[in-house]
Amino acid sequence: MSTFFQTLYRKQKPRYKIVLNTKIVLACVVFTLCMACQNTTKLPDPLQAGWQNQAVCEVVENNPKIRVLKCTFPPGVGHDKHYHASHFGYTIQGSTFKITDTTGTRVVEVPTGTEFYNDGIDWHQVQNVGDSTAIFLIVEPK
């Protein structure tokens, strides 16, 4: 290698090292801030969330492949703000619910025998505004 290229290479190498180190430090700072934000806004899952400090869901099955919850909502009872991982649900006994989520608040009739699946819910809060007790099975794959 000629002396010119050796000199050029030596001059540029430290500059790349500084730029690379700066990018690594910046990436670490951004990652740390993102993790801190996620930890402070973490909501409970359906089992942890209840209604006015009372549990509404119980574990029916929990094994390495699935977790099954049975959630019971007498009239006037709801589920405080929580998130859902991907899950399948089945309505054992239906009622009318007020649901609040990222799209707003709405009242929905949920008939007995309704089944549903979704890839997850960032957050929602529900309340049974009907006159009958609603019961759901929630099946979460692991």
mmCIF file of all heavy atoms in Angstrom, residues 121-137:
data_model
loop_
_atom_site.group_PDB
_atom_site.id
_atom_site.type_symbol
_atom_site.label_atom_id
_atom_site.label_comp_id
_atom_site.label_asym_id
_atom_site.label_seq_id
_atom_site.Cartn_x
_atom_site.Cartn_y
_atom_site.Cartn_z
ATOM 1 N N ILE A 121 -55.140 -6.997 21.806
ATOM 2 C CA ILE A 121 -55.791 -5.704 22.010
ATOM 3 C C ILE A 121 -54.841 -4.872 22.858
ATOM 4 O O ILE A 121 -54.438 -5.301 23.941
ATOM 5 C CB ILE A 121 -57.150 -5.874 22.733
ATOM 6 C CG1 ILE A 121 -58.101 -6.720 21.884
ATOM 7 C CG2 ILE A 121 -57.764 -4.534 23.073
ATOM 8 C CD1 ILE A 121 -59.389 -7.096 22.593
ATOM 9 N N ASP A 122 -54.468 -3.691 22.359
ATOM 10 C CA ASP A 122 -53.569 -2.819 23.121
ATOM 11 C C ASP A 122 -54.160 -2.473 24.482
ATOM 12 O O ASP A 122 -53.486 -2.519 25.494
ATOM 13 C CB ASP A 122 -53.278 -1.534 22.353
ATOM 14 C CG ASP A 122 -52.403 -1.773 21.136
ATOM 15 O OD1 ASP A 122 -51.656 -2.777 21.123
ATOM 16 O OD2 ASP A 122 -52.465 -0.958 20.202
ATOM 17 N N TRP A 123 -55.443 -2.118 24.480
ATOM 18 C CA TRP A 123 -56.151 -1.869 25.733
ATOM 19 C C TRP A 123 -57.644 -1.753 25.467
ATOM 20 O O TRP A 123 -58.060 -1.391 24.372
ATOM 21 C CB TRP A 123 -55.633 -0.610 26.435
ATOM 22 C CG TRP A 123 -56.008 0.667 25.736
ATOM 23 C CD1 TRP A 123 -55.278 1.314 24.770
ATOM 24 C CD2 TRP A 123 -57.189 1.460 25.929
ATOM 25 N NE1 TRP A 123 -55.935 2.448 24.363
ATOM 26 C CE2 TRP A 123 -57.114 2.566 25.056
ATOM 27 C CE3 TRP A 123 -58.307 1.335 26.749
ATOM 28 C CZ2 TRP A 123 -58.106 3.529 24.989
ATOM 29 C CZ3 TRP A 123 -59.295 2.309 26.679
ATOM 30 C CH2 TRP A 123 -59.183 3.398 25.807
ATOM 31 N N HIS A 124 -58.412 -2.088 26.459
ATOM 32 C CA HIS A 124 -59.837 -1.782 26.474
ATOM 33 C C HIS A 124 -60.362 -1.898 27.895
ATOM 34 O O HIS A 124 -59.692 -2.404 28.789
ATOM 35 C CB HIS A 124 -60.638 -2.630 25.479
ATOM 36 C CG HIS A 124 -60.855 -4.061 25.847
ATOM 37 N ND1 HIS A 124 -61.674 -4.884 25.136
ATOM 38 C CD2 HIS A 124 -60.380 -4.837 26.846
ATOM 39 C CE1 HIS A 124 -61.691 -6.087 25.672
ATOM 40 N NE2 HIS A 124 -60.912 -6.086 26.705
ATOM 41 N N GLN A 125 -61.557 -1.364 28.080
ATOM 42 C CA GLN A 125 -62.255 -1.439 29.359
ATOM 43 C C GLN A 125 -63.699 -1.758 29.016
ATOM 44 O O GLN A 125 -64.254 -1.215 28.056
ATOM 45 C CB GLN A 125 -62.158 -0.111 30.096
ATOM 46 C CG GLN A 125 -62.832 -0.111 31.443
ATOM 47 C CD GLN A 125 -62.543 1.175 32.204
ATOM 48 O OE1 GLN A 125 -61.592 1.888 31.920
ATOM 49 N NE2 GLN A 125 -63.380 1.463 33.188
ATOM 50 N N VAL A 126 -64.319 -2.667 29.766
ATOM 51 C CA VAL A 126 -65.691 -3.064 29.465
ATOM 52 C C VAL A 126 -66.544 -3.032 30.727
ATOM 53 O O VAL A 126 -66.022 -3.122 31.838
ATOM 54 C CB VAL A 126 -65.762 -4.483 28.833
ATOM 55 C CG1 VAL A 126 -64.952 -4.557 27.556
ATOM 56 C CG2 VAL A 126 -65.298 -5.545 29.813
ATOM 57 N N GLN A 127 -67.856 -2.897 30.517
ATOM 58 C CA GLN A 127 -68.805 -2.983 31.634
ATOM 59 C C GLN A 127 -70.090 -3.606 31.131
ATOM 60 O O GLN A 127 -70.597 -3.238 30.059
ATOM 61 C CB GLN A 127 -69.098 -1.612 32.221
ATOM 62 C CG GLN A 127 -70.022 -1.688 33.426
ATOM 63 C CD GLN A 127 -70.272 -0.331 34.054
ATOM 64 O OE1 GLN A 127 -69.893 0.703 33.523
ATOM 65 N NE2 GLN A 127 -70.920 -0.338 35.205
ATOM 66 N N ASN A 128 -70.604 -4.568 31.887
ATOM 67 C CA ASN A 128 -71.871 -5.202 31.558
ATOM 68 C C ASN A 128 -72.989 -4.220 31.913
ATOM 69 O O ASN A 128 -73.264 -3.977 33.086
ATOM 70 C CB ASN A 128 -72.025 -6.508 32.333
ATOM 71 C CG ASN A 128 -73.299 -7.253 31.983
ATOM 72 O OD1 ASN A 128 -74.175 -6.735 31.294
ATOM 73 N ND2 ASN A 128 -73.414 -8.476 32.466
ATOM 74 N N VAL A 129 -73.641 -3.666 30.884
ATOM 75 C CA VAL A 129 -74.749 -2.739 31.106
ATOM 76 C C VAL A 129 -76.095 -3.432 30.861
ATOM 77 O O VAL A 129 -77.132 -2.781 30.887
ATOM 78 C CB VAL A 129 -74.601 -1.466 30.229
ATOM 79 C CG1 VAL A 129 -73.377 -0.664 30.654
ATOM 80 C CG2 VAL A 129 -74.546 -1.809 28.749
ATOM 81 N N GLY A 130 -76.045 -4.729 30.638
ATOM 82 C CA GLY A 130 -77.263 -5.508 30.425
ATOM 83 C C GLY A 130 -77.874 -5.954 31.737
ATOM 84 O O GLY A 130 -77.397 -5.609 32.816
ATOM 85 N N ASP A 131 -78.922 -6.762 31.641
ATOM 86 C CA ASP A 131 -79.624 -7.222 32.846
ATOM 87 C C ASP A 131 -79.372 -8.691 33.167
ATOM 88 O O ASP A 131 -80.042 -9.264 34.027
ATOM 89 C CB ASP A 131 -81.125 -6.942 32.737
ATOM 90 C CG ASP A 131 -81.748 -7.576 31.505
ATOM 91 O OD1 ASP A 131 -81.049 -8.309 30.779
ATOM 92 O OD2 ASP A 131 -82.953 -7.331 31.274
ATOM 93 N N SER A 132 -78.403 -9.318 32.473
ATOM 94 C CA SER A 132 -78.080 -10.716 32.771
ATOM 95 C C SER A 132 -76.571 -10.883 32.943
ATOM 96 O O SER A 132 -75.792 -10.109 32.406
ATOM 97 C CB SER A 132 -78.592 -11.643 31.656
ATOM 98 O OG SER A 132 -77.969 -11.309 30.433
ATOM 99 N N THR A 133 -76.176 -11.898 33.693
ATOM 100 C CA THR A 133 -74.763 -12.185 33.906
ATOM 101 C C THR A 133 -74.153 -12.743 32.630
ATOM 102 O O THR A 133 -74.722 -13.644 32.011
ATOM 103 C CB THR A 133 -74.582 -13.192 35.058
ATOM 104 O OG1 THR A 133 -75.082 -12.588 36.265
ATOM 105 C CG2 THR A 133 -73.126 -13.581 35.246
ATOM 106 N N ALA A 134 -73.001 -12.193 32.244
ATOM 107 C CA ALA A 134 -72.279 -12.674 31.059
ATOM 108 C C ALA A 134 -71.092 -13.521 31.510
ATOM 109 O O ALA A 134 -70.451 -13.228 32.524
ATOM 110 C CB ALA A 134 -71.798 -11.501 30.218
ATOM 111 N N ILE A 135 -70.814 -14.579 30.745
ATOM 112 C CA ILE A 135 -69.690 -15.463 31.050
ATOM 113 C C ILE A 135 -68.941 -15.745 29.748
ATOM 114 O O ILE A 135 -69.545 -16.123 28.737
ATOM 115 C CB ILE A 135 -70.167 -16.795 31.682
ATOM 116 C CG1 ILE A 135 -70.978 -16.517 32.937
ATOM 117 C CG2 ILE A 135 -68.968 -17.701 31.992
ATOM 118 C CD1 ILE A 135 -71.692 -17.749 33.511
ATOM 119 N N PHE A 136 -67.624 -15.580 29.786
ATOM 120 C CA PHE A 136 -66.765 -15.801 28.633
ATOM 121 C C PHE A 136 -65.660 -16.800 28.954
ATOM 122 O O PHE A 136 -65.163 -16.828 30.079
ATOM 123 C CB PHE A 136 -66.069 -14.499 28.202
ATOM 124 C CG PHE A 136 -66.997 -13.423 27.766
ATOM 125 C CD1 PHE A 136 -67.479 -12.503 28.673
ATOM 126 C CD2 PHE A 136 -67.387 -13.323 26.437
ATOM 127 C CE1 PHE A 136 -68.333 -11.485 28.275
ATOM 128 C CE2 PHE A 136 -68.239 -12.316 26.031
ATOM 129 C CZ PHE A 136 -68.718 -11.391 26.943
ATOM 130 N N LEU A 137 -65.270 -17.585 27.977
ATOM 131 C CA LEU A 137 -64.030 -18.362 28.027
ATOM 132 C C LEU A 137 -63.038 -17.662 27.116
ATOM 133 O O LEU A 137 -63.369 -17.320 25.976
ATOM 134 C CB LEU A 137 -64.236 -19.796 27.526
ATOM 135 C CG LEU A 137 -64.822 -20.790 28.497
ATOM 136 C CD1 LEU A 137 -64.882 -22.179 27.853
ATOM 137 C CD2 LEU A 137 -64.031 -20.861 29.801
#
